[in-house]
Amino acid sequence: MKIGITCYPTYGGSGVVGAELGVELAERGHEVHFIASALPFRAKGNQSLIYFHEVEMMSYPLFEHLPYALALSTKMAEVVQAYDLDVLHVHYAIPHSVSAFLARSMLLPRKIPFITTLHGTDITLVGMDRSYWGITKFAIEQSDGITAISNQLKQKTLEVFGIEKNIEVIYNFVNCNKYRRNANPEYRKLFAAEGEKILVHLSNFRPVKRTSDVVEIFSLVREKVPCRLILIGDGPDRSAAELLIHKKGLQQHAFFLGKQENVEDTLGISDVLLLPSELESFGLAALEAMACEAPPIASRVGGLPELVTHGVDGFLAEVGDVKAMADYAVRLLLDNELRQQMSKAGRQTAETRFCSTLIIPQYEKLYRRVAERDA
Ligand code: GMT
């Protein structure tokens, strides 16, 4: 099929899912057209089947803010016509599903179906705000297919917007070949000496990630276990986390790597992932860590309990309970047998429920369904 994908190309879960979905689809022989403000940073794959169409925005003194949603609709309509696309798939409802709705309307009587995938904060934070609620509800309802990345997000969407159309749950996925344990002692040595453990955190450092809790947990764990902390990603709360690390005198033991292309390399040498988020509709970072056999210690929030089975393939604690999270980390790091068991269980969860080989066919089926309906 010929599929147009729109997502935020920056560092964020919805952009990662949109980009990796495109790569996986191209590897299965589909023609993929990314329509976005920049090429999503993980969109590297079968280049002959991957096209990129940049959304260009003319600036003009009258525009206090550039009308991204309008430029995106224009580009979507252009690409659909030029490449005869079968379907548009947008990630993150605001404003992408509104742009897709406009593009579909502009192209009538030609029919181009669009699918909206809800990722989390588009519903739980931004979409709930009065300033966006009405248009978000409208655009979601106008979609030819709606998917949510967890049951919890589906329920939340029904509750917040009272949507009457069917919302299909298609979970986040991981490429199980790429994300796996990587016993690379040379790479590990760059961060930790013999006998030291590695805790890792991966996020976009937004307030919902509670990165100061990551530092607090690490500080408590270090009182009992020799260990190091690696933080991957960047965002508004990174400086505060760096400052806190300095205040606690832990700067020799923590590494802020910033944005990284191949996060699997670092997850693959880590012993535990910390994800103490306030909100997490799925928790892609936890899944990626589980595939790499680094058990997650996360908040019992949002969709995380659908991914992590407490005490089996990771640990869950209440939001803000840094003491409990630190205790779980200490237990796991000191008990090799438990860590082995949980690492293997996490890998098995990834393989049996969330591998791209299981999830991508669900999107393909949906594309075929909406395209046939509109034929
Ligand atoms: O985590 C973020 O803040 C970014 C956000 C996004 O939309 O870019 O991530 C959301 O989508 C991810 C991919 O579907 C999910 O795994 C994350 O749980 C979700 N984040 C939140 O709900 C806070």
Side-chain angles (χ1 to χ4, degrees):
M1 294 182 79
K2 296 182 181 184
I3 302 150
I5 293 183
T6 292
C7 59
Y8 285 110
T10 51
Y11 210 59
S14 57
V16 170
V17 171
E20 293 196 343
L21 172 62
V23 170
E24 296 274 350
L25 289 166
E27 262 150 34
R28 283 164 171 74
H30 299 285
E31 191 177 295
V32 174
H33 295 259
F34 284 107
I35 308 168
S37 56
L39 182 66
F41 81 108
R42 288 214 203 167
K44 288 190 186 132
N46 186 345
Q47 296 302 331
S48 62
L49 288 172
I50 295 180
Y51 295 71
F52 169 55
H53 309 275
E54 186 176 344
V55 178
E56 288 147 323
M57 285 169 279
M58 178 201 171
S59 95
Y60 189 65
L62 260 185
F63 297 156
E64 199 183 331
H65 305 287
L66 295 184
Y68 165 67
L70 302 185
L72 175 59
S73 323
T74 309
K75 186 58 85 178
M76 280 172 164
E78 245 174 64
V79 176
V80 168
Q81 276 197 310
Y83 292 87
D84 195 22
L85 299 193
D86 297 306
V87 62
L88 288 171
H89 185 181
V90 303
H91 294 264
Y92 210 88
I94 306 169
H96 298 153
S97 52
V98 180
S99 300
F101 166 75
L102 289 174
R104 187 182 69 185
S105 311
M106 284 160 75
L107 290 168
L108 282 171
R110 186 201 191 286
K111 290 181 179 167
I112 176 74
F114 78 91
I115 291 165
T116 300
T117 289
L118 309 171
H119 283 270
T121 49
D122 45 353
I123 302 301
T124 55
L125 274 179
V126 197
M128 276 171 87
D129 189 87
R130 279 181 63 86
S131 51
Y132 299 113
W133 186 86
I135 190 69
T136 307
K137 174 175 161 67
F138 173 78
I140 294 173
E141 282 177 334
Q142 288 294 325
S143 309
D144 299 282
I146 313 166
T147 78
I149 47 118
S150 65
N151 270 305
Q152 185 274 340
L153 183 59
K154 171 179 173 171
Q155 292 313 324
K156 190 76 192 168
T157 310
L158 295 175
E159 190 188 301
V160 171
F161 294 105
I163 306 276
E164 290 192 358
K165 270 188 157 170
N166 180 44
I167 301 180
E168 198 169 322
V169 173
I170 303 186
Y171 283 121
N172 281 177
F173 58 87
V174 67
N175 185 315
C176 293
N177 288 327
K178 193 169 157 208
Y179 285 78
R180 50 172 61 252
R181 194 81 198 150
N182 134 40
N184 180 345
E186 290 311 309
Y187 185 53
R188 194 183 159 103
K189 255 197 242 162
L190 296 178
F191 303 102
E194 192 73 36
E196 284 183 320
K197 299 287 189 249
I198 297 179
L199 291 83
V200 69
H201 172 72
L202 163 62
S203 81
N204 49 21
F205 288 70
R206 299 228 166 94
V208 288
K209 302 295 176 181
R210 297 180 70 99
T211 31
S212 59
D213 282 7
V214 172
V215 177
E216 296 293 351
I217 298 166
F218 174 59
S219 164
L220 290 169
V221 175
R222 258 197 73 81
E223 289 171 11
K224 305 205 169 126
V225 186
C227 58
R228 300 289 179 111
L229 175 66
I230 304 179
L231 301 105
I232 311 172
D234 212 334
D237 283 355
R238 175 173 167 181
S239 320
E242 281 177 317
L243 202 66
L244 191 56
I245 283 281
H246 272 79
K247 265 194 186 157
K248 289 180 177 287
L250 293 169
Q251 60 276 19
Q252 305 297 331
H253 310 288
F255 304 87
F256 286 84
L257 301 190
K259 295 179 186 178
Q260 294 287 312
E261 287 217 342
N262 300 313
V263 294
E264 66 278 12
D265 291 344
T266 312
L267 294 175
I269 55 154
S270 300
D271 300 301
V272 153
L273 172 98
L274 301 178
L275 195 65
S277 312
E278 181 95 39
L279 282 175
E280 208 62 76
S281 293
F282 181 87
L284 180 60
L287 171 59
E288 291 175 339
M290 286 159 87
C292 293
E293 300 182 32
I297 295 176
S299 311
R300 186 175 287 108
V301 75
L304 275 163
E306 292 174 52
L307 165 66
V308 179
T309 307
H310 178 67
V312 175
D313 48 20
F315 285 114
L316 298 173
E318 301 316 309
V319 174
D321 194 346
V322 291
K323 167 87 175 57
M325 294 189 198
D327 287 347
Y328 287 133
V330 169
R331 213 170 116 192
L332 204 51
L333 295 174
L334 291 180
D335 185 341
N336 286 341
E337 201 177 317
L338 175 69
R339 203 171 60 257
Q340 282 264 327
Q341 263 174 25
M342 277 204 167
S343 307
K344 296 290 167 215
R347 174 75 198 173
Q348 204 190 0
T349 300
E351 278 180 358
T352 55
R353 296 180 58 208
F354 302 106
C355 261
S356 48
T357 47
L358 301 169
I359 305 292
I360 307 301
Q362 298 176 31
Y363 281 117
E364 289 176 294
K365 198 166 150 199
L366 178 60
Y367 296 154
R368 279 195 295 271
R369 204 166 70 223
V370 298
E372 272 162 22
R373 209 171 50 207
D374 273 9

